[in-house]
Amino acid sequence: MTGAKTAVETAAAVRSGDRSARSVVEEALAAISSREEELHACNEVMADSARARAGAIDAAVAHGEDPGPLAGVPIALKDNLCVQGELTTCSSKILEGWRPPYTATVVERLLAAGAIPIAKTNLDEFAMGSSTENSAFGPTRNPHDMTRVPGGSSGGSAAAVSAGYVPLALGSDTGGSIRQPAAFCGVVGVKPTYGRVSRYGLIAFASSLDQIGPFATTVDDAALLLETIWGPDQMDSTSIPSQPDPIGAGSDVSGLRIGIIEELTDLEGIAPEVRASVERAASGLEGSGAHIERVSIPSCAYGLSAYYLIAPAEASSNLARYDGVRYGLRVDGADVAEMNAKTRAAGFGAEVKRRIMLGTYALSAGYYDAYYGQAQKVRTLIIGDFAQAYERFDVLLSPTAPTEAFKIGAKTADPLAMYMSDICTIPTNLAGHAAMSVPFGTGAEGLPIGVQVLAPALGESVMFTVARAVEGLR
Amino acid sequence: MTTYETVIGLEVHVELATRTKLFCGCANEFGAEPNTHVCPVCLGLPGSLPVLNRTVVEFALLLGVALNFDVPPSSIFHRKNYFYPDMPKDFQVSQFDEPICVDGWIDVAGERIRIERAHMEEDTGKTTHMGGGGRIHDADYSLVDYNRAGIPLLEIVSRPDMGSAEQARGYVSELRAILATIGISDVKMEEGSMRVDANVSLRANSTDVLGTKVEIKNMNSLRSLGRAIDSEIERQSAMLDSEEVIIQETRHWDEVAGITHGMRSKEGSSDYRYFPEPDLVPVAPTDEMRKVARESVPELPAPKRERLISDWGIGSSDARVLVDDRALCAYAEAAVAAGGSGKDVTNWCTGEILGYLNEHGSTPEALILRPEGLAELVALLADDTLSRSLAKDVLEECLATPVMPREVVERRGLAQMNDEGELAALVDEVLGRNEDAIAQWKAGDEKARKKKRGFLMGELMKTSGSKGNPKVLNQLLDERLHD
Amino acid sequence: MSPRISPEQVRHVANLARLSITDSEASQLAEELGVILEHAEDVAALDLSDIEPTAHPIHLTNVLRDDAPRPSLDRDEVLAAAPATEDRRFRVPRIMGETQ
Ligand SMILES: [Mg+2]
Ligand SMILES: [Zn+2]
């Protein structure tokens, strides 16, 4: 790590004129050049537009204007966020070369706040995966250990922050795709309440689960980024219409009731060091005045199965549009159906095809009730169980991922084993709640571990308070 | 030969007359340059999301009132998944098992037709088939314009309550009048803003087992709807007579050949995998929204026809002609409000004025003669100032130049001679110079008498400069001849 | 391990999903999907007859926009992204299936 400044510090320095945005951007570009060849965190580095934007920000400061709370802060964007005129691929061959004619709402808000998008980061193709090995453009490596995965699907964003390219990045989290790579890369990662952050311009994986969220090196930086991007958006029907309250800067947990989720912590397959980290964080919080108890959320046991029916079902429909007609790849065929089928066979990778097939099957005549319908009912159970738990607890704790980062290639041949690495993060997405991962402790191999702080819907403020307290225990 | 009972159900797709599309702000406009009314949402670009047009919901609620529907507390959108190049997302956002309107009905020629449901959905783009005579299956390739993709539709699905092509036409015609009255669509079958698919099945009169249902598409007028159904009834009857098996399929109506064609379909193409659209939230019409809809529905065609028949004393076919043409009806009502008699106004409107409009391709709103003018003309006729033939003269002038009928009468001195003394003098004079004709009338048989009488009447009108009151002249002539 | 989906079913599903697959891919997918569906049996086997399904995690209704026009995209830019165009339209190979 380069010991780079936080976003809060950088923005303050640029706004006051102590530092130029140009120098910040040059430093970030230099950091990228120094490690990108080995890491492959980025699909595209937007050096020209970043330099131009930095120049504009410096000019604004020189004119006595305030470029905004993220003035001059370079930020990396997961390559499933649309930026007008910039390559946006979802790490898929089917979208190779596509430049959207419009910009995602979150990116518009970043630009309005003075942030400088500097790179589009690598991901598992269409955000389907837990290791960023499913990218059509090759895997990203974990900055802590080149032989290991950074997690996924937002592995490029997690690695970019972890490697010190940028203090901030955006990812998307459908079943843990922000929190799990944050844990593997030793950074903070946040999955906000469903509907808090506009999805307009986020290329859909599973619409009822997807949510955009921040990566940062500190909890404060993550809060600053989240406050920049969240809030109602008329372009997204599922955007919560109320203006969010500020997150606040508190870290006082005295009197808070915190539950440790038994089903996700005592699970077979959770590494002892991971469980120990959660226990250690809990006792630290207890030492700061919180009440700690274990809590059972029985339906969590079915979360993984329900998720791997619901998410593929929605994805099978969301990804139908990649048909070779309007944009992206086309492989010719004798008729339109053959053209569609050949295009999709050539353009999608194995995992994407697997999920499209699974989802199509789960929705098809005769199977809908047994699979998709049943999974939706499990979703009801999970929401009910969490609601009960949140009557007794302000926030909940669990591991973010069962293990520290695994070796590249270790799970690629076994989809189910790969899916298991999302087991602790998935229930939050099914419930539509908020959760975040805070780096806390290291595993047997000396790699970072994340502790997950879970909060009810719209519970970001108390979640960040506890996250800050955990951060303070390090 | 067996006789069969025909069972017909209709699915009517109606394009709504909103300013923008169903889920985006692109203009809803017919006939624009290809692919100019498209945006990330209606092109289904990656990352785009739909947001529902408020006016579409308001229109659906108006339809709910007009077609006697129940509007359940909540309705949701589903995705109907199938691949087709005119559909940008390769799924159609539509409503499935929780539509906005359920269990409606309308009465058509005294019979109640039940309507199962009406639901909101998006239209597809427009495909042009190139090569092979422009027909889909012979084409070399196709071109797609997405301007129409995402235009709001209401699909209105009847129960299989119709038994003949005639009844199906009556239903569509009544539906069209209602839709025009509540103002939610242009309802032009020729431009495709109202599209009708017919499900036709036949069953032997002795059984109550439903026959195999065949869907017919591509009828672009009421006339072709009737022809297509009749042709399909004929086809199915012949097949049943020769004990052939009717297969469930979609058939295209060929207007030129006057028959339906079966369409090749790809195997396994009809598993739509409906599931709730996760990018949209439920529509739950509030009491306020329902109240606004109830209060915004204008008088509907059926009660309007009843009213005109009883208040104006007109016949039911005239009432239908008037009510089916909203602008003409408004014109007639304004003329009646200005003092014209309903019956007379109707006669002029469904006669000479409608003829003039058709001939000139004009609309009632554009007529130089305003409704007050028509009321004046009708009054001039009623008080015997004008004869019917003079009135036609006057109308002709009033339709061509901005002038009121009374002005024309005065300027041209057209007022009818009604004075009996004056007319008697006129009769004396004309008969005086036509002694031969009178003699021939007296000597002639019935046929000859009729001819001579007609001649004398013509002479009387000619001498009066067409102004003599024909009724009085007829009477006076008879008196004199029979003296 | 009893595969829950046959290669024939896989080919049917691939047809619905418009994915061309080889015979060996069909067999492999049958096996992989079988494993995942086997795991999903824990959910499929639950008795949830009295539980309402949840399609969506938040409970908003009537999110409506005003019927007001917004700018459309530039046609040249839209068509430039397409694999094939002709006469201001998107060009596709012949269509064999039926319209809906
Ligand atoms: Mg339909
Ligand atoms: Zn649009």
Side-chain angles (χ1 to χ4, degrees), chain C:
Chain C
M1 177 85 39
S2 64
R4 306 201 160 258
I5 175 166
S6 67
E8 288 68 40
Q9 278 175 297
V10 165
R11 272 190 287 272
H12 169 69
V13 173
N15 187 37
L16 286 177
R18 287 276 161 97
L19 281 170
S20 73
I21 53 170
T22 62
D23 285 350
S24 74
E25 283 172 323
S27 307
Q28 198 193 333
L29 275 164
E31 200 167 307
E32 288 170 352
L33 297 183
V35 171
I36 298 165
L37 291 169
E38 182 81 22
H39 186 265
E41 279 308 301
D42 62 344
V43 158
L46 291 174
D47 176 10
L48 302 174
S49 44
D50 52 352
I51 307 287
E52 282 295 311
T54 297
H56 220 271
I58 48 170
H59 300 284
L60 298 171
T61 55
N62 296 337
V63 175
L64 303 170
R65 87 187 150 75
D66 291 339
D67 185 21
R70 293 169 53 92
S72 295
L73 290 169
D74 176 67
R75 179 171 65 201
D76 293 342
E77 189 181 359
V78 166
L79 291 177
T85 63
E86 181 178 309
D87 189 24
R88 304 158 296 161
R89 294 163 172 90
F90 295 84
R91 182 179 164 147
V92 296
R94 62 200 297 248
I95 300 167
M96 302 288 283
E98 64 186 54
T99 49
Q100 306 296 314

Side-chain angles (χ1 to χ4, degrees), chain B residues 13 92 119 121 155:
Chain B
H13 286 83
Q92 182 193 31
H119 65 256
E121 64 181 26
E155 180 176 340

